[in-house]
Amino acid sequence: MRPTMKDVATAAGVALKTVSRVVNGEPGVNPATAERVREAIDRLGYSRNESARVLRRGRTATVGLVIEDVADPFYSGLSRAVEDVVIVEGCLLLSGSSGEKPARERELVRTFCARRVDGLIVVPAGDDHSYLRPELDAGTPAVFADRPPGPGLDVDTVLSDNAGGAREAVGHLLAHGHRRIAMLGDHPSIYTAAERLAGYRAALGPLYDPRLVAMRAPTPETVRDDLERMLALDAPPTALFTGNGRLTVTALRALGGRRMGLVGFDDFELADLLTPGVTVVAQDPAGMGRVAAELLFRRLAGDGGPSEHVELPVRLIPRGSGELPP
């Protein structure tokens, strides 16, 4: 049978209130008495019933997190940072992947809300979030990360400077003498892909050529086909900007050793060990997860101020792949 706080009080020879003060870290207990209580806790194997404690406060001590794909290094880094904050706050994280399916996003959010999570952090797959309105009106706070919510929903949002990062990537290639710069991106219906395309176009200005752009859900086959089409043009690209880390790796495989100037959005493992090392625009997924979680717990603590919209900076890491091939 699980030991109770009353059992600890009996074993330590103190009042129940004294045990409560020690367990909850409250002042006013003689150090020798507190030590006796802690020894009794260790001896009996007592642990505080967190569920009962938080339910008395009207909370379940759980947070729901919806991401795009837990296998993506960017989202795994974001998820880990959220979990670190959630643990410090004494809560449990429930998470799931939408797989870029709006219906799956809605299903996950509704499931989390049915389990009475205290708050939500959402990387949205769709742009219609009217289904969240009843939960927000009922007092469940939500923070959107990586992508903003759809029209009509004003909630805390944490983004990266996607357009600025793309402009910096293309500017780096232009500075190394490239004028025919191609782009491989994800489907333009995805907010981050559209923002990076806008930054790419802004950096190129009159050099922009739509024949050098491919924006669709990437697979090894589509990436290979798009590169072959571009390289067969009368004026083929000498450089490539890839819109995310998975696209960069897929493009490197499709190129099969062919040298092109290259800058990828998102850093990835071993990028610095390739020859040449791959120049990237690095985001801060851990920073995004941490800021999103901290915003959420501020709302849970009663901060009723206006919603915040945070844009995190990105960083160009030159490693040699942006130069013109010999």
Side-chain angles (χ1 to χ4, degrees):
M1 185 175 178
R2 182 175 178 171
T4 66
M5 196 177 291
K6 186 176 180 180
D7 296 327
V8 174
T10 300
V14 299
L16 186 61
K17 181 61 176 177
T18 301
V19 177
S20 176
R21 285 175 175 164
V22 173
V23 168
N24 290 296
E26 297 174 5
V29 180
N30 180 279
T33 302
E35 181 60 28
R36 198 161 72 249
V37 171
R38 284 191 286 269
E39 287 175 356
I41 287 172
D42 291 341
R43 187 167 67 253
L44 295 175
Y46 167 80
S47 61
R48 179 169 59 180
N49 189 334
E50 291 289 338
S51 296
R53 183 175 67 89
V54 296
L55 284 171
R56 282 194 296 270
R57 292 160 51 194
R59 290 174 53 184
T60 61
T62 55
V63 169
L65 170 66
V66 179
I67 56 177
E68 186 247 324
D69 182 2
V70 71
D72 186 315
F74 177 86
Y75 292 115
S76 61
L78 183 153
S79 178
R80 176 59 185 270
V82 169
E83 186 174 37
D84 287 344
V85 175
V86 168
I87 289 172
V88 168
E89 295 288 342
C91 296
L92 178 70
L93 182 67
L94 307 178
S95 64
S97 300
S98 69
E100 292 292 6
K101 296 180 175 63
R104 176 62 177 160
E105 173 204 317
R106 290 192 298 272
E107 178 186 354
L108 283 167
V109 169
R110 285 171 173 157
T111 298
F112 291 155
C113 290
R115 292 177 178 271
R116 304 284 301 274
V117 295
D118 296 327
L120 295 161
I121 297 174
V122 181
V123 175
D127 57 7
D128 179 5
H129 299 102
S130 56
Y131 70 89
L132 253 180
R133 176 56 60 191
E135 302 299 337
L136 296 172
D137 291 343
T140 302
V143 177
F144 277 60
D146 190 43
R147 308 165 186 177
L153 210 64
D154 185 21
V155 296
D156 294 321
T157 306
V158 186
L159 309 173
S160 289
D161 184 7
N162 293 284
R167 286 195 302 271
E168 190 170 5
V170 176
H172 179 79
L173 292 168
L174 289 169
H176 280 85
H178 297 283
R179 294 298 178 267
R180 299 285 289 169
I181 301 172
M183 177 177 178
L184 294 177
D186 213 325
H187 198 280
S189 63
I190 298 172
Y191 170 82
T192 50
E195 285 290 294
R196 292 166 195 175
L197 175 61
Y200 163 86
R201 292 192 64 165
L204 283 176
L207 295 175
Y208 173 76
D209 182 346
R211 296 176 300 169
L212 297 181
V213 176
M215 302 288 292
R216 54 176 170 167
T219 67
E221 293 73 27
T222 59
V223 169
R224 184 185 61 248
D225 291 347
D226 289 332
L227 284 172
E228 288 178 354
R229 174 184 59 79
M230 295 173 184
L231 291 170
L233 294 172
D234 291 339
T238 63
L240 176 64
F241 169 55
T242 49
N244 60 53
R246 285 179 294 184
L247 264 167
T248 306
V249 172
T250 305
L252 286 168
R253 288 183 174 136
L255 287 169
R258 174 168 179 155
R259 286 291 306 276
M260 290 184 71
L262 173 66
V263 179
F265 209 106
D266 287 334
D267 205 357
F268 60 95
E269 192 172 4
L270 304 182
D272 57 329
L273 298 182
L274 298 174
T275 305
V278 179
T279 296
V280 298
V281 174
Q283 299 187 81
D284 183 8
M288 181 176 290
R290 182 179 64 255
V291 171
E294 289 172 349
L295 280 172
L296 182 66
F297 280 101
R298 277 175 46 192
R299 299 303 180 190
L300 289 171
D303 184 345
S307 60
E308 294 194 26
H309 300 269
V310 180
E311 185 176 83
L312 300 178
V314 296
R315 179 168 59 101
L316 182 76
I317 305 177
R319 296 191 178 118
S321 65
E323 300 175 5
L324 278 167

